[in-house]
PDB file of all heavy atoms in Angstrom:
ATOM      1  N   TYR A  48    -113.809  61.413-119.528  1.00 93.00           N
ATOM      2  CA  TYR A  48    -113.628  61.411-120.994  1.00 93.00           C
ATOM      3  C   TYR A  48    -113.015  62.726-121.471  1.00 93.00           C
ATOM      4  O   TYR A  48    -112.209  62.739-122.404  1.00 93.00           O
ATOM      5  CB  TYR A  48    -114.972  61.222-121.716  1.00 93.00           C
ATOM      6  CG  TYR A  48    -115.647  59.876-121.519  1.00 93.00           C
ATOM      7  CD1 TYR A  48    -116.995  59.707-121.808  1.00 93.00           C
ATOM      8  CD2 TYR A  48    -114.944  58.765-121.069  1.00 93.00           C
ATOM      9  CE1 TYR A  48    -117.623  58.486-121.649  1.00 93.00           C
ATOM     10  CE2 TYR A  48    -115.570  57.543-120.892  1.00 93.00           C
ATOM     11  CZ  TYR A  48    -116.916  57.407-121.187  1.00 93.00           C
ATOM     12  OH  TYR A  48    -117.541  56.211-121.022  1.00 93.00           O
ATOM     13  N   ASN A  49    -113.414  63.814-120.830  1.00 91.00           N
ATOM     14  CA  ASN A  49    -112.918  65.145-121.230  1.00 91.00           C
ATOM     15  C   ASN A  49    -111.403  65.249-121.172  1.00 91.00           C
ATOM     16  O   ASN A  49    -110.799  66.044-121.879  1.00 91.00           O
ATOM     17  CB  ASN A  49    -113.469  66.218-120.274  1.00 91.00           C
ATOM     18  CG  ASN A  49    -114.897  66.555-120.595  1.00 91.00           C
ATOM     19  OD1 ASN A  49    -115.379  66.225-121.679  1.00 91.00           O
ATOM     20  ND2 ASN A  49    -115.585  67.184-119.660  1.00 91.00           N
ATOM     21  N   ASP A  50    -110.794  64.464-120.266  1.00 94.00           N
ATOM     22  CA  ASP A  50    -109.348  64.564-120.072  1.00 94.00           C
ATOM     23  C   ASP A  50    -108.548  63.645-120.990  1.00 94.00           C
ATOM     24  O   ASP A  50    -107.319  63.718-121.023  1.00 94.00           O
ATOM     25  CB  ASP A  50    -108.991  64.216-118.611  1.00 94.00           C
ATOM     26  CG  ASP A  50    -109.597  65.211-117.631  1.00 94.00           C
ATOM     27  OD1 ASP A  50    -109.821  66.362-118.060  1.00 94.00           O
ATOM     28  OD2 ASP A  50    -109.853  64.829-116.483  1.00 94.00           O
ATOM     29  N   ILE A  51    -109.235  62.742-121.679  1.00 96.00           N
ATOM     30  CA  ILE A  51    -108.516  61.720-122.458  1.00 96.00           C
ATOM     31  C   ILE A  51    -108.280  62.209-123.885  1.00 96.00           C
ATOM     32  O   ILE A  51    -109.232  62.509-124.606  1.00 96.00           O
ATOM     33  CB  ILE A  51    -109.313  60.392-122.484  1.00 96.00           C
ATOM     34  CG1 ILE A  51    -109.616  59.917-121.059  1.00 96.00           C
ATOM     35  CG2 ILE A  51    -108.552  59.329-123.266  1.00 96.00           C
ATOM     36  CD1 ILE A  51    -110.495  58.676-120.980  1.00 96.00           C
ATOM     37  N   PRO A  52    -107.028  62.298-124.298  1.00 96.00           N
ATOM     38  CA  PRO A  52    -106.749  62.769-125.649  1.00 96.00           C
ATOM     39  C   PRO A  52    -107.452  61.915-126.704  1.00 96.00           C
ATOM     40  O   PRO A  52    -107.450  60.690-126.590  1.00 96.00           O
ATOM     41  CB  PRO A  52    -105.226  62.621-125.788  1.00 96.00           C
ATOM     42  CG  PRO A  52    -104.704  62.318-124.444  1.00 96.00           C
ATOM     43  CD  PRO A  52    -105.823  61.918-123.558  1.00 96.00           C
ATOM     44  N   HIS A  53    -108.061  62.571-127.660  1.00 96.00           N
ATOM     45  CA  HIS A  53    -108.732  61.955-128.823  1.00 96.00           C
ATOM     46  C   HIS A  53    -110.014  61.222-128.501  1.00 96.00           C
ATOM     47  O   HIS A  53    -110.614  60.626-129.389  1.00 96.00           O
ATOM     48  CB  HIS A  53    -107.787  61.023-129.604  1.00 96.00           C
ATOM     49  CG  HIS A  53    -106.475  61.646-129.922  1.00 96.00           C
ATOM     50  ND1 HIS A  53    -106.374  62.805-130.651  1.00 96.00           N
ATOM     51  CD2 HIS A  53    -105.211  61.311-129.565  1.00 96.00           C
ATOM     52  CE1 HIS A  53    -105.104  63.140-130.748  1.00 96.00           C
ATOM     53  NE2 HIS A  53    -104.381  62.252-130.095  1.00 96.00           N
ATOM     54  N   PHE A  54    -110.430  61.216-127.230  1.00 94.00           N
ATOM     55  CA  PHE A  54    -111.736  60.627-126.932  1.00 94.00           C
ATOM     56  C   PHE A  54    -112.805  61.559-127.507  1.00 94.00           C
ATOM     57  O   PHE A  54    -112.619  62.775-127.520  1.00 94.00           O
ATOM     58  CB  PHE A  54    -111.929  60.482-125.412  1.00 94.00           C
ATOM     59  CG  PHE A  54    -112.203  59.072-124.978  1.00 94.00           C
ATOM     60  CD1 PHE A  54    -111.258  58.078-125.226  1.00 94.00           C
ATOM     61  CD2 PHE A  54    -113.386  58.718-124.332  1.00 94.00           C
ATOM     62  CE1 PHE A  54    -111.493  56.766-124.840  1.00 94.00           C
ATOM     63  CE2 PHE A  54    -113.623  57.412-123.946  1.00 94.00           C
ATOM     64  CZ  PHE A  54    -112.686  56.427-124.197  1.00 94.00           C
ATOM     65  N   PRO A  55    -113.931  60.991-127.965  1.00 91.00           N
ATOM     66  CA  PRO A  55    -114.993  61.871-128.454  1.00 91.00           C
ATOM     67  C   PRO A  55    -115.399  62.863-127.366  1.00 91.00           C
ATOM     68  O   PRO A  55    -115.374  62.528-126.184  1.00 91.00           O
ATOM     69  CB  PRO A  55    -116.139  60.895-128.748  1.00 91.00           C
ATOM     70  CG  PRO A  55    -115.469  59.580-128.953  1.00 91.00           C
ATOM     71  CD  PRO A  55    -114.274  59.577-128.061  1.00 91.00           C
ATOM     72  N   VAL A  56    -115.726  64.071-127.773  1.00 79.00           N
ATOM     73  CA  VAL A  56    -116.134  65.099-126.818  1.00 79.00           C
ATOM     74  C   VAL A  56    -117.635  64.975-126.600  1.00 79.00           C
ATOM     75  O   VAL A  56    -118.406  64.894-127.557  1.00 79.00           O
ATOM     76  CB  VAL A  56    -115.774  66.503-127.355  1.00 79.00           C
ATOM     77  CG1 VAL A  56    -116.307  67.585-126.425  1.00 79.00           C
ATOM     78  CG2 VAL A  56    -114.267  66.630-127.512  1.00 79.00           C
ATOM     79  N   SER A  57    -118.029  64.930-125.342  1.00 67.00           N
ATOM     80  CA  SER A  57    -119.444  64.718-125.028  1.00 67.00           C
ATOM     81  C   SER A  57    -120.308  65.879-125.496  1.00 67.00           C
ATOM     82  O   SER A  57    -119.931  67.037-125.375  1.00 67.00           O
ATOM     83  CB  SER A  57    -119.617  64.535-123.527  1.00 67.00           C
ATOM     84  OG  SER A  57    -120.982  64.399-123.242  1.00 67.00           O
ATOM     85  N   THR A  58    -121.483  65.539-126.029  1.00 63.00           N
ATOM     86  CA  THR A  58    -122.401  66.578-126.502  1.00 63.00           C
ATOM     87  C   THR A  58    -123.333  67.050-125.396  1.00 63.00           C
ATOM     88  O   THR A  58    -123.996  68.056-125.516  1.00 63.00           O
ATOM     89  CB  THR A  58    -123.289  66.045-127.652  1.00 63.00           C
ATOM     90  OG1 THR A  58    -123.958  64.868-127.204  1.00 63.00           O
ATOM     91  CG2 THR A  58    -122.478  65.747-128.884  1.00 63.00           C
ATOM     92  N   VAL A  59    -123.404  66.271-124.315  1.00 58.00           N
ATOM     93  CA  VAL A  59    -124.361  66.592-123.253  1.00 58.00           C
ATOM     94  C   VAL A  59    -123.636  67.310-122.127  1.00 58.00           C
ATOM     95  O   VAL A  59    -122.734  66.754-121.499  1.00 58.00           O
ATOM     96  CB  VAL A  59    -125.029  65.308-122.697  1.00 58.00           C
ATOM     97  CG1 VAL A  59    -126.207  65.666-121.810  1.00 58.00           C
ATOM     98  CG2 VAL A  59    -125.453  64.395-123.823  1.00 58.00           C
TER      99      VAL A  59
END
Side-chain angles (χ1 to χ4, degrees):
Y48 294 163
N49 282 344
D50 296 334
I51 305 175
H53 311 302
F54 238 61
V56 175
S57 177
T58 55
V59 191

